Amino acid sequence: MSGPRPRTGVLGGTFDPPHIGHLLAAVNVRHALALDRVLLVVANDPWQKTGTRTVTPAADRLAMVQAAVAGLDGVEASDLELRRGGPSYTVDTLRELAAAEPGGELFVVLGADAAGGLLSWDRAEELPALASLVLVDRPGMVCPPPPEGWAFVRVEIPRVEVSSTDLRARVLDGRPLDFLVPAGVVTCIRDRRLYGFASP
Ligand code: ATP
Ligand code: MG
């Protein structure tokens, strides 16, 4: 930690699987805002997604995120929501992080699509008091400003048109994932036979 008030970025997601879009957001927001670290917080139960599709077990998604950040300075995988269990609410995660590091500053990093859904989050109105919002653009998705009165900054990141949805389809079709996810994540998907991975 570099200063008396540690600055932590929180990039929450399902990470099913993690990809370079997540990593580009993490490293560029960390740099732009001089954050000590960015946590990739793996949702235990992404309640807004369950019911719409089958979500990969949280332990597999955490393993992929750990592989994705291996050797990356200042970007860490967080299992906090897995340890807490149950549906994953960002407000609870922020409270836990704040309690663990009193005096620290928290920054919630959101891609354009996630920013658009902010008001549907559980106890969304409590967020502004807990963290600043950091918005990053995402190709093909319009990033609306957050609700009136919410503090936010925008950070420019390289726009890459990659999504976990597309990557899952790629595995099913046998198309390559190389350069869209770190090599360690490809290995993890292969070893755990995720997304219907079939050996060549
Ligand atoms: P899915 O297609 O399954 O929804 P995803 O690619 O959107 O997966 P998530 O785990 O849902 O990944 O996203 C976690 C966070 O990362 C969200 O805030 C999302 O907006 C952001 N994000 C995902 N992909 C990108 C990208 N290519 N560029 C910028 N931000 C991204
Ligand atoms: Mg998404």
Side-chain angles (χ1 to χ4, degrees):
M1 297 291 163
S2 62
R5 294 196 71 193
R7 292 160 65 82
T8 301
V10 176
L11 171 50
T14 309
F15 302 110
D16 197 8
H19 53 67
I20 57 166
H22 301 129
L23 296 172
L24 283 167
V27 298
N28 285 287
V29 168
R30 177 172 182 250
H31 175 78
L33 302 182
L35 305 183
D36 294 286
R37 58 182 184 155
V38 174
L39 303 178
L40 301 191
V41 181
V42 179
N44 180 60
D45 169 7
W47 55 281
Q48 293 196 318
K49 279 180 182 165
T50 39
T52 62
R53 67 171 179 86
T54 307
V55 174
T56 304
D60 289 322
R61 291 183 285 109
L62 176 66
M64 287 190 283
V65 174
Q66 285 167 337
V69 302
L72 195 56
D73 206 27
V75 183
E76 301 168 22
S78 169
D79 64 355
L80 195 141
E81 295 184 349
L82 276 68
R83 284 188 278 115
R84 193 168 68 232
S88 303
Y89 302 124
T90 301
V91 164
D92 296 329
T93 300
L94 296 174
R95 288 200 190 290
E96 236 179 288
L97 289 170
E101 209 159 52
E105 280 183 272
L106 296 172
F107 298 80
V108 171
V109 184
L110 294 168
D113 53 318
L118 209 50
L119 283 179
S120 68
W121 289 15
D122 192 66
R123 288 160 285 147
E125 68 285 355
E126 296 178 25
L127 277 168
L130 293 164
S132 312
L133 295 182
V134 183
L135 307 184
V136 297
D137 278 324
R138 196 173 171 181
M141 301 183 189
V142 182
C143 193
E148 280 258 312
W150 289 35
F152 71 99
V153 291
R154 283 183 197 274
V155 171
E156 279 294 320
I157 67 167
R159 291 169 183 236
V160 289
E161 202 157 348
V162 56
S163 70
S164 303
T165 300
D166 174 58
L167 291 166
R168 293 190 298 273
R170 282 178 161 268
V171 180
L172 263 183
D173 301 350
R175 282 176 288 156
L177 303 185
D178 305 290
F179 306 108
L180 296 171
V181 308
V185 175
V186 180
T187 306
C188 204
I189 290 171
R190 189 188 60 214
D191 291 352
R192 291 170 182 250
R193 295 279 183 273
L194 301 176
Y195 312 117
F197 181 92
S199 308

